[in-house]
Amino acid sequence: MTMSGKKAVQPQEIDWNNLGFNYMNLPYRYRAYWRDGEWQETGLTEDANVTISEGSTCLHYGQEVFEGLKAYRCKDGSINLFRPDQNAARMQKSCERLMMPKVPTEMFVAALKEVVHANEAYIPPYGTGGTLYLRPYLIGVGDNIGVHPAQEYIFSIFAMPVGNYFKGGLTPTNFVASEYDRAAHKGTGASKVGGNYAASLFPGQLAHDAGFSDCIYLDPIEHRKIEEVGSANFFGITKDGKFVTPKSPSILPSVTKYSLLYLAEHRLGMQTEQGDIYIDQLDHFAEAGACGTAAVISPIGGFKYGDNFHVFYSETEVGPVTRKLYDELTGIQFGDVDAPAGWIEKV
Ligand SMILES: Cc1ncc(COP(=O)(O)O)c(C=O)c1O
């Protein structure tokens, strides 16, 4: 039992080969408190509940930022974190945008390692494809009511074993253009803040109800260019073999996307470009996919926008370049392929 009375799941109860993307209560999570202008680390706790003041800014004004990354079990039994410094840096940027105290990179990475160590029995075995998903978050708390930044904050990291985010894995699934926006042009789209995701719930549900994996957001100014998927960035492979991904101030700067830009250029010898992807020019692309920590690389089969339905490579088969990128990326993450310097942090 945890302190809250909720029972933590036992490792032997887990079906490692059939993990979805679902919450699981593991024995340990990390907590730190920002009070009197400094971080006070309490370290690991078994309490899965967070008790906060009814005046907490996270409850009323969305003063909340979060991150998502994974721990990978390697063939030799060791444990990899993939570019955790990049998640620390992105969270610091999100904190700037929402006027929250930053968690220093060293504290962030050390806390991740503590959580992974303490819950080591829950890292899916090598070869199952599963990983330990880590969810750091930071919330404004304390007794407030006016619209201003909180004086006190809680930083926490919890974890759970996960499998595929989109049902298909490496099998393509279909997406639909949303009529709604998740973020404004100079709003908070580039920050990983809860409000963006609240705004995406309704368009996401419409997409699911219509039988799609998720929606793709278009640029909030003209709705002519692809921005990103609700939980992943978009990339396309042009017919002449270029890796292209949208550049916009309202999409989340995906660690996976920047990693793929590097791998496409330096490992696959491809040209790469961050630029505009117009929905009326999709014929330039031979393949397309969604990329992110949770999505990994999920091939996009068909894309519905307005009355059009565009099939990129195939609705049933993953394209050859997407597969190569997937093998390179996941090979690095699971320790089977040499990583570029600084990408892997051993736990
Ligand atoms: C809106 C959005 N875009 C993109 C991503 C992918 O980012 P990353 O590759 O850093 O996980 C995520 C998930 O983290 C996301 O929520």
Side-chain angles (χ1 to χ4, degrees), residues 48-319:
N49 288 344
V50 181
T51 305
I52 55 174
S53 163
E54 62 191 358
S56 294
T57 56
C58 66
L59 295 177
H60 306 279
Y61 307 126
Q63 204 186 19
E64 188 264 358
V65 304
F66 69 102
E67 275 301 325
L69 68 162
K70 288 172 169 175
Y72 304 80
R73 177 73 77 181
C74 304
K75 206 186 256 175
D76 65 5
S78 65
I79 306 162
N80 283 353
L81 288 175
F82 182 70
R83 311 191 76 181
D85 57 326
Q86 300 298 305
N87 294 90
R90 185 170 65 191
M91 193 161 107
Q92 290 157 6
K93 281 231 146 89
S94 301
C95 286
E96 272 174 26
R97 185 68 177 81
L98 294 203
M99 298 194 70
M100 301 169 83
K102 293 176 190 171
V103 176
T105 302
E106 259 179 43
M107 176 177 154
F108 184 91
V109 176
L112 286 169
K113 289 184 180 179
E114 269 192 70
V115 174
V116 174
H117 263 307
N119 297 296
E120 181 171 354
Y122 295 84
I123 307 175
Y126 174 84
T128 60
T131 52
L132 188 73
Y133 184 75
L134 294 153
R135 169 53 60 87
Y137 66 94
L138 173 61
I139 53 175
V141 298
D143 301 333
N144 312 272
I145 195 60
V147 182
H148 50 68
Q151 298 295 309
E152 296 180 9
Y153 295 84
I154 297 175
F155 171 56
S156 184
I157 304 175
F158 63 102
M160 72 214 66
V162 298
N164 288 339
Y165 186 76
F166 293 120
K167 257 198 223 113
L170 250 196
T171 304
T173 57
N174 295 337
F175 291 76
V176 60
S178 179
E179 290 176 18
Y180 293 87
D181 301 320
R182 66 182 279 282
H185 183 59
K186 292 195 177 171
T188 54
S191 308
K192 202 159 170 71
V193 307
N196 294 341
Y197 297 82
S200 76
L201 294 176
F202 181 62
Q205 187 63 45
L206 291 178
H208 292 142
D209 289 349
F212 296 94
S213 270
D214 203 345
C215 57
I216 290 181
Y217 293 98
L218 305 179
D219 72 278
I221 296 179
E222 290 187 304
H223 277 206
R224 290 178 60 218
K225 296 180 272 189
I226 287 184
E227 288 255 294
E228 66 172 325
V229 181
S231 51
N233 277 181
F234 177 94
F235 69 88
I237 311 297
T238 61
K239 288 186 172 155
D240 55 1
K242 196 190 281 181
F243 179 99
V244 186
T245 182
K247 189 174 178 65
S248 156
S250 45
I251 66 179
L252 191 78
S254 153
V255 176
T256 315
K257 187 260 299 288
Y258 287 118
S259 304
L260 292 179
L261 276 165
Y262 180 91
L263 295 175
E265 183 180 344
H266 297 279
R267 296 279 173 95
L268 272 56
M270 299 170 69
Q271 278 193 309
T272 63
E273 185 184 310
Q274 294 184 72
D276 293 333
I277 298 182
Y278 288 91
I279 47 170
D280 57 5
Q281 292 179 2
L282 297 180
D283 281 342
H284 295 178
F285 292 94
E287 300 176 34
C291 66
T293 297
V296 193
I297 294 182
S298 301
I300 298 177
F303 173 49
K304 184 175 187 307
Y305 58 101
D307 295 332
N308 307 290
F309 186 72
H310 181 86
V311 175
F312 285 100
Y313 181 74
S314 148
E315 280 189 83
T316 52
E317 302 289 322
V318 56

